[in-house]
Amino acid sequence: MKFDMETAEDFANWFDGVDVDLVETSAKVRKFFKQDYPKLLRVAGVGDGFIKASVMSDEPKAPSFGNQLEDRIVKQVYAKETLERVGKALNALRDESKQILIAVYVDDLSAWEICERLGCEKAQYHIKKRKAENEFADSFETCCPWWKDLHKYK
């Protein structure tokens, strides 16, 4: 890929002009994991352990798309690929953020169980969780370009 200096400068300037609503972005990530993520698992025909396995594996996987696939097969392929991109996005996060999101949305642990794992108070946990959710929105935006942006801009 060739880099165009004008596009690169626009990209660098984008960071100065972006004003993200951290609370609303966090809420959109929660909605994704509570509503979209379970549906993706069902459509892909995989179990809850799918994300854990893809987070553990860094092996590249290429989806196979045929020309004459029926709509339901295409949906299944895209759902599975989207789930793999969720794993890729989680792998790009800081270790603590990854642990929090997996504990909350995959393992379905309670806040006090996660606090115990992290060795922090509940108020501190909520701050860490919001930060992890915002990190996920950043990572998922580029890992899965066909999915809607989880950021809420001011």
Side-chain angles (χ1 to χ4, degrees):
M1 173 180 183
K2 281 187 153 184
F3 280 90
D4 171 34
M5 284 307 291
E6 187 176 327
T7 304
E9 287 175 9
D10 288 344
F11 173 72
N13 291 332
W14 175 78
F15 284 94
D16 289 334
V18 174
D19 198 10
V20 175
D21 184 327
L22 300 177
V23 174
E24 287 298 318
T25 296
S26 184
K28 286 179 82 171
V29 170
R30 277 193 308 279
K31 182 180 178 280
F32 169 81
F33 275 109
K34 290 182 179 200
Q35 293 178 6
D36 298 332
Y37 171 74
K39 186 173 183 178
L40 284 167
L41 289 171
R42 290 190 303 273
V43 171
V46 297
D48 288 341
F50 182 83
I51 290 297
K52 281 188 178 178
S54 71
V55 168
M56 299 298 189
S57 171
D58 285 336
E59 292 180 29
K61 296 174 186 165
S64 56
F65 297 98
N67 291 336
Q68 302 300 320
L69 291 177
E70 295 178 13
D71 283 348
R72 63 185 176 84
I73 302 299
V74 171
K75 285 179 184 176
Q76 184 180 30
V77 169
Y78 271 100
K80 191 170 183 180
E81 182 62 23
T82 301
L83 288 168
E84 288 176 3
R85 299 298 177 99
V86 169
K88 188 175 181 180
L90 286 168
N91 275 328
L93 304 182
R94 291 177 310 108
D95 209 36
E96 182 179 69
S97 293
K98 183 185 346 180
Q99 288 176 19
I100 290 169
L101 295 181
I102 290 172
V104 173
Y105 299 115
V106 178
D107 295 338
D108 200 29
L109 298 181
S110 67
W112 71 264
E113 289 173 302
I114 299 168
C115 286
E116 198 172 271
R117 280 187 181 182
L118 297 175
C120 67
E121 298 296 321
K122 196 170 182 181
Q124 191 180 24
Y125 156 73
H126 287 293
I127 292 168
K128 290 174 184 269
K129 181 176 172 244
R130 179 171 293 146
K131 186 173 183 174
E133 289 164 340
N134 277 272
E135 284 180 24
F136 179 81
D138 293 343
S139 179
F140 192 61
E141 179 181 12
T142 55
C143 284
C144 193
W146 58 83
W147 198 264
K148 55 195 167 250
D149 188 0
L150 297 176
H151 292 96
K152 173 66 178 169
Y153 298 99
K154 292 182 183 178

